[in-house]
Every structure is written in structure tokens, then in C-alpha cells.
């Protein structure tokens, strides 16, 4: 879903603003997704979020899709 998309972009190092522009949503929407993800993965910040995502194998099998713009 959308949260997983946001998580993957955070792992790539994008800012909330960059992710919002890429997904064509408001920055506040991205921040809401991040808060939800951090709560679910018990992470205090983006670095912990990505570390927990890796630990839970949420980022595995990702390849840069040719459809990215």
C-alpha cells in the first residue's frame, strides 16, 4: 500500500517533500504515513524506521521499477 511506498522512498533517502511530489500528495499526508509507520515499527526517527523495516524484511526484493518518472 501507500505506507510501503513511502517507506521505500524514505529508505532511498528522499525527504517528505520529495516523496509528496513523487506520489502527488500533500507533504502532510506523507508525514501522517511516516507517523503511522514509526508507531507500527516502534521507531523514533527515520533511521530507526529504515533499520526496523530491514529487520522485518519489508524492503527486500525491491528493484527500481522502469516505470519510475
Amino acid at each position: 500500500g501507500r505506507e510501503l511506498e513511502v517507506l521505500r522512498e524514505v529508505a532511498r533517502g528522499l525527504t517528505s517533500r520529495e516523496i509528496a511530489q513523487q506520489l502527488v500528495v500533500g507533504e502532510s499526508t506523507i508525514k501522517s504515513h511516516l507517523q503511522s509507520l514509526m508507531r507500527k515499527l516502534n521507531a523514533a526517527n527515520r533511521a530507526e524506521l529504515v533499520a526496523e523495516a530491514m529487520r522485518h524484511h519489508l524492503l527486500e526484493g525491491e528493484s527500481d521499477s522502469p516505470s519510475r518518472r
Side-chain angles (χ1 to χ4, degrees), residues 4 7-8 50-61:
L4 197 49
L7 182 57
R8 289 173 178 150
V50 173
E52 286 300 308
M54 291 172 68
R55 191 169 76 81
H56 290 284
H57 309 289
L58 298 175
L59 301 173
E60 287 184 358

Side-chain angles (χ1 to χ4, degrees), residues 4-60:
L4 197 49
E5 285 183 76
V6 170
L7 182 57
R8 289 173 178 150
E9 298 307 328
V10 167
R12 291 180 58 220
L14 272 63
T15 65
S16 294
R17 178 169 291 164
E18 291 167 333
I19 298 167
Q21 289 171 346
Q22 183 172 319
L23 299 182
V24 194
V25 297
E27 193 173 349
S28 61
T29 300
I30 299 304
K31 290 180 179 181
S32 292
H33 285 313
L34 286 172
Q35 289 299 316
S36 177
L37 285 161
M38 286 192 260
R39 188 170 46 255
K40 289 177 182 179
L41 294 177
N42 198 28
N45 54 50
R46 286 171 178 248
E48 283 185 18
L49 182 61
V50 173
E52 286 300 308
M54 291 172 68
R55 191 169 76 81
H56 290 284
H57 309 289
L58 298 175
L59 301 173
E60 287 184 358

